[in-house]
Amino acid sequence: MHDWHLECSLCGVRADADGGQTVCGACGKPWLVRYPERRHPVGEKQTPTGAGMWRFRSFLPLMPGEQPITLGEGDTPLLATPRLGAALGIERLWIKDEGTNPTGSFKSRGLAAAITRAVAAGVRTFTLPTAGNAGVAAAAYGARAGVRVRVYAPRTTPKPILTQISAFGADLHLLDGHIGDCGKASRAYSAESGAFDLSTLREPYRIEGKKTMGLELAEQFGWELPEVVLYPTGGGTGLIGMWKVFAELAAARWIGPRMPRMYTVQSAGCAPVVRAFETGAGECQPWENPWTVASGLRVPGPLGDRLMLAALRGSGGGAVAVTDDQLSQTADLCTRTEGIDCSPEGGAGLVAARLLRERGVILAGDRVVVFNTGAGWLYR
Ligand SMILES: *Cc1c(COP(=O)(O)O)cnc(C)c1O
């Protein structure tokens, strides 16, 4: 039997977790997974052995003895990048390279967790809208589980990403418009066919997979988090997941109470979270005519807006918009300077670090981590 339950992120209502959940029935906001305290005897830190994200089992939605659906996701390198750091003016810079995951992006973490739980609950057909990489991961983990996946993606998604979705055997539907339009089509298909909707934050387990980035970060820094984390943000599951697990780690006393300052980075062509942060709003207004080459950031109206804004404000961090020229040039600089295959999204995080250092928001002694959320080859 599972030992966790769901709690609404807005109204706090509780529900049992049988694997078929979508969003809170009372207020329509995302669920968060809550675990019983006995999972982490306080202060008893046991660095888990094994390989991949599932070795952090006591923080994850798995039942005793249960095997997840996995392709070996997680355990990505944390790379010190002094040469790139010197070029950007950041004294202490690391890149967490999520492009080394199966399917070439950190989406593999979330989709592995979501598909594991849904398949355990008996689901055999899935649908999701994607800005690109979530579709690749859903297609691959669907194949791994032997289930059917339908993907709705914008026609303007980078070609290599679309090729990967089809190669993994998903049923790919291309639409004019952005991920919000794809979401409408996917939900209509879900309602008519009964296919399970894997959209960001419309089921509770993608966050649980993505939060393993935060677990690895803590472990890789010797259980003492860095001062600054920059995260290229679209739907926000990575940011929300990391913020959630930092609290879980602190409650278990695996880390102290000091948290990193968390920064959202978006493209100036689609920056709803930056706009909401700057105007002091509690939620995002949908961005009109969103466009950026960093396709993972093209999410005009994220469902997790409140959770993201709470994490940014609660951590003392912020939100930064950069231009497509800046992010593309900086991705190229990283790739050539360090040999790390940097995505446009990763480039956004890096150039934002430079801008924040120039503005004196990032200080000389700060340890700065930028997430390269995907591999550059998916865009070329
Ligand atoms: C999906 C994606 C993002 C945005 O991630 P969220 O956790 O949804 O905010 C950033 N970069 C890449 C490469 C992505 O695929």
Side-chain angles (χ1 to χ4, degrees):
M1 258 303 279
H2 61 265
D3 63 352
W4 63 90
H5 68 271
L6 305 179
E7 183 185 286
C8 176
S9 58
L10 183 66
C11 73
V13 79
R14 284 174 63 139
D16 187 30
D18 67 5
Q21 292 78 16
T22 51
V23 289
C24 172
C27 69
K29 287 293 173 186
W31 293 115
L32 296 174
V33 179
R34 298 295 185 203
Y35 301 93
E37 271 174 27
R38 67 175 174 279
R39 278 209 178 192
H40 308 289
V42 167
E44 277 182 43
K45 177 168 58 200
Q46 292 168 337
T47 298
T49 54
M53 74 172 199
W54 294 103
R55 67 199 170 84
F56 294 100
R57 196 172 176 112
S58 69
F59 288 91
L60 291 171
L62 278 184
M63 293 181 253
E66 186 182 19
Q67 291 302 315
I69 292 158
T70 180
L71 291 164
E73 55 286 347
D75 276 346
T76 57
L78 177 73
L79 301 166
T81 52
R83 205 153 349 106
L84 179 64
L88 297 175
I90 315 277
E91 291 79 355
R92 305 175 80 192
L93 178 67
W94 285 263
I95 292 179
K96 179 115 170 107
D97 188 11
E98 292 294 308
T100 64
N101 273 301
T103 81
S105 83
F106 72 152
K107 293 294 196 301
S108 55
R109 298 177 185 264
L111 272 305
I115 291 182
T116 290
R117 287 274 43 91
V119 167
V123 175
R124 307 297 298 168
T125 57
F126 293 89
T127 181
L128 83 162
T130 182
N133 289 323
V136 182
Y141 287 88
R144 185 77 172 142
V147 298
R148 294 183 47 200
V149 176
R150 180 182 282 220
V151 176
Y152 290 89
R155 205 179 296 284
T156 50
T157 304
K159 266 275 148 20
I161 294 179
L162 297 177
T163 302
Q164 289 296 103
I165 294 171
S166 297
F168 285 122
D171 178 13
L172 174 61
H173 292 248
L174 295 178
L175 299 184
D176 298 319
H178 53 67
I179 188 173
D181 304 309
C182 294
K184 280 179 204 144
S186 178
R187 284 196 290 285
Y189 173 69
S190 170
E192 136 209 335
S193 68
F196 186 83
D197 185 356
L198 279 170
S199 311
T200 301
L201 293 165
R202 284 184 192 275
E203 64 74 53
Y205 298 107
R206 278 175 69 174
I207 294 183
E208 295 302 297
K210 290 227 186 152
K211 82 182 187 185
T212 58
M213 292 189 292
L215 291 165
E216 290 173 20
L217 196 64
E219 183 186 46
Q220 285 168 320
F221 273 102
W223 305 104
E224 200 207 307
L225 293 168
E227 283 73 29
V228 173
V229 171
L230 291 116
Y231 183 79
T233 303
T237 39
L239 184 76
I240 296 164
M242 281 196 278
W243 190 241
K244 177 174 187 281
V245 87
F246 292 159
E248 291 171 356
L249 282 168
R253 307 241 183 93
W254 285 35
I255 59 171
R258 191 186 54 78
M259 296 288 155
R261 289 158 13 234
M262 309 285 286
Y263 291 88
T264 269
V265 184
Q266 300 197 298
S267 164
C270 180
V273 181
V274 178
R275 184 170 63 188
F277 183 86
E278 285 177 349
T279 58
E283 52 194 16
C284 295
Q285 299 305 319
W287 193 269
E288 300 285 327
N289 303 318
W291 175 255
T292 165
V293 293
S295 51
L297 308 185
R298 194 149 69 104
V299 182
L303 188 61
D305 51 355
R306 287 170 171 277
L307 291 167
M308 279 191 267
L309 290 160
L312 301 177
R313 292 185 177 125
S315 73
V320 188
V322 301
T323 67
D324 271 19
D325 279 352
Q326 287 175 320
L327 66 87
S328 297
Q329 282 164 16
T330 311
D332 290 349
L333 176 71
C334 170
T335 303
R336 280 184 276 110
T337 310
E338 295 286 0
I340 297 169
D341 186 18
C342 190
S343 60
E345 292 84 352
L350 290 165
V351 71
R354 173 167 74 74
L355 297 172
L356 290 176
R357 182 72 188 91
E358 284 168 9
R359 291 178 206 159
V361 176
I362 291 176
L363 307 173
D366 285 344
R367 291 166 298 173
V368 179
V369 176
V370 173
F371 278 79
N372 180 35
T373 40
W377 66 265
L378 284 159
Y379 300 78
R380 290 186 203 112

